Amino acid sequence: MTHRTHYTYSEAVAICQNQLRMQPRSSGRVVVHTSSVSIYPKPDNTFEHKDYFGNQVYSFAIESLHRELKVTASSNVSVEPIALPLATKQNGESFFEGDMPWETVVEQSRTALTLPLRVLEYRFNSPRITASDVFASYAKKSFTPGRGLFAATEDLTRRIHDDFEYNTVLTDVNTPTEKSFGLRAGVCQDFAHIQIACLRSLGLPSRYVSGYLRTIPPAGTERMVGADESHAWLSVYAGKGHGWVACDPTNACFAGTQHIPICIGRDYGDVSPMRGVVLGGGTTSLRVNVDVEPIDAVVAASGA
């Protein structure tokens, strides 16, 4: 997979300093085989580290005049399917084998004596997500008393997909979660924030996931290079036996092998792919494209 970012400036930039969160990490169902970053103009300084949430961070500084900035992050990964409990349908409702009541998970999540801090902290408010009775009321239509957490989460994920319009105009990267909820519209970032707000309002730990979603072209057509997108979804803590389970309200599903996670955090503010400051630059133009391609297709194209 390749993530390309290209800035052009109407005036010369004297200095820029940036942080990238575009490289995946090996954890859980993801194994990173190779990962690299290419930058033009060549940086004067670079530094790599892992942030508080364990995300790979690539920092760089360019201290010479430039009118454009090109950043390319390329990675080769393997993604294993999520091991979901066996599900059956009864009267149109899903039932998952071994699905514990969601209230039990809430009880487990209330004390550091039963769960590590890295789970407990995702119960609380974050800069872009504030729990409230409004979100709890919406969530409780799915999280009825005694219902299994998997079944309730699946239902809430589907309801957000059905109740909210995917609209790229009404919101932007800085739209508050309460506003997108009121508009009943937004994009994947908004839907992830809304579902996290709903889950945290019930006392369930949930975290934001940024990554890529591989799209499948219609039968008989070739895939378009650069047609894949940066994507956002979330994961909810499903108890000691299951750990974190990822779901995608934009597509009304649990995350599968087409979902490639890159970073996790409390909300989008923790995982934005590129952030930084520039001195100069005037008017800025930005182009971004993401390409996610199966490795067997890459091998075939190379003639190997």
Side-chain angles (χ1 to χ4, degrees):
M1 58 190 178
T2 304
H3 187 147
R4 300 178 182 88
T5 304
H6 186 191
Y7 283 95
T8 55
Y9 309 102
S10 63
E11 300 176 12
V13 171
I15 297 174
C16 80
Q17 296 180 337
N18 289 280
Q19 284 190 342
L20 308 179
R21 286 174 172 80
M22 298 179 181
Q23 295 177 275
R25 58 180 181 172
S26 293
S27 63
R29 64 192 185 94
V30 178
V31 176
V32 179
H33 302 293
T34 62
S35 186
S36 63
V37 173
S38 172
I39 300 170
Y40 174 84
K42 183 179 179 181
D44 294 279
N45 297 288
T46 63
F47 176 70
E48 295 184 64
H49 74 283
K50 293 189 184 301
D51 66 14
Y52 173 78
F53 302 101
N55 302 313
Q56 185 68 29
V57 182
Y58 189 100
S59 302
F60 69 92
I62 300 173
E63 300 174 353
S64 58
L65 293 175
H66 56 282
R67 297 288 291 267
E68 65 177 340
L69 173 63
K70 295 180 180 180
V71 175
T72 302
S74 300
S75 300
N76 181 343
V77 304
S78 299
V79 182
E80 296 294 330
I82 294 176
L84 294 173
L86 181 66
T88 58
K89 289 281 187 179
Q90 299 179 24
N91 299 321
E93 182 177 340
S94 296
F95 289 86
F96 292 84
E97 186 176 288
D99 199 2
M100 72 174 68
W102 66 271
E103 297 96 333
T104 302
V105 181
V106 172
E107 282 299 318
Q108 290 182 359
S109 306
R110 284 179 173 166
T111 172
L113 296 178
T114 57
L115 292 176
L117 178 61
R118 284 297 176 90
V119 173
L120 297 177
E121 64 187 351
Y122 288 108
R123 288 181 53 228
F124 303 110
N125 293 338
S126 57
R128 295 176 182 238
I129 301 174
T130 301
S132 73
D133 291 340
V134 173
F135 290 121
S137 177
Y138 182 84
K140 284 180 180 178
K141 295 178 183 178
S142 299
F143 286 78
T144 53
R147 193 176 193 183
L149 183 134
F150 277 91
T153 298
E154 181 186 59
D155 189 65
L156 177 61
T157 304
R158 176 191 55 77
R159 285 177 52 225
I160 292 174
H161 172 270
D162 293 346
D163 293 348
F164 291 74
E165 175 192 358
Y166 188 89
N167 189 306
T168 60
V169 177
L170 292 178
T171 63
D172 60 36
V173 71
N174 295 311
T175 300
T177 304
E178 292 79 6
K179 181 176 180 179
S180 55
F181 183 80
L183 290 170
R184 290 295 195 271
V187 294
C188 56
Q189 172 188 299
D190 303 298
F191 300 160
H193 280 165
I194 288 167
Q195 186 159 355
I196 292 170
C198 289
L199 294 167
R200 290 182 187 170
S201 295
L202 298 178
L204 290 164
S206 53
R207 61 192 189 185
Y208 188 96
V209 184
S210 69
Y212 306 124
L213 179 65
R214 186 170 75 91
T215 56
I216 309 298
T221 63
E222 294 186 3
R223 61 183 300 277
M224 296 177 63
V225 175
D228 301 292
E229 298 180 351
S230 295
H231 193 47
W233 58 97
L234 67 134
S235 58
V236 58
Y237 186 73
K240 295 180 180 179
H242 298 289
W244 294 100
V245 176
C247 50
D248 179 359
T250 306
N251 293 291
C253 64
F254 288 107
T257 54
Q258 310 304 327
H259 294 76
I260 305 170
I262 300 296
C263 293
I264 59 171
R266 298 165 299 171
D267 55 41
Y268 174 78
D270 292 330
V271 302
S272 56
M274 184 170 176
R275 70 179 74 169
V277 295
V278 299
L279 180 61
T283 303
T284 301
S285 176
L286 170 64
R287 296 200 309 273
V288 176
N289 70 65
V290 174
D291 191 35
V292 182
E293 186 175 6
I295 193 168
D296 54 354
V298 175
V299 172
S302 67

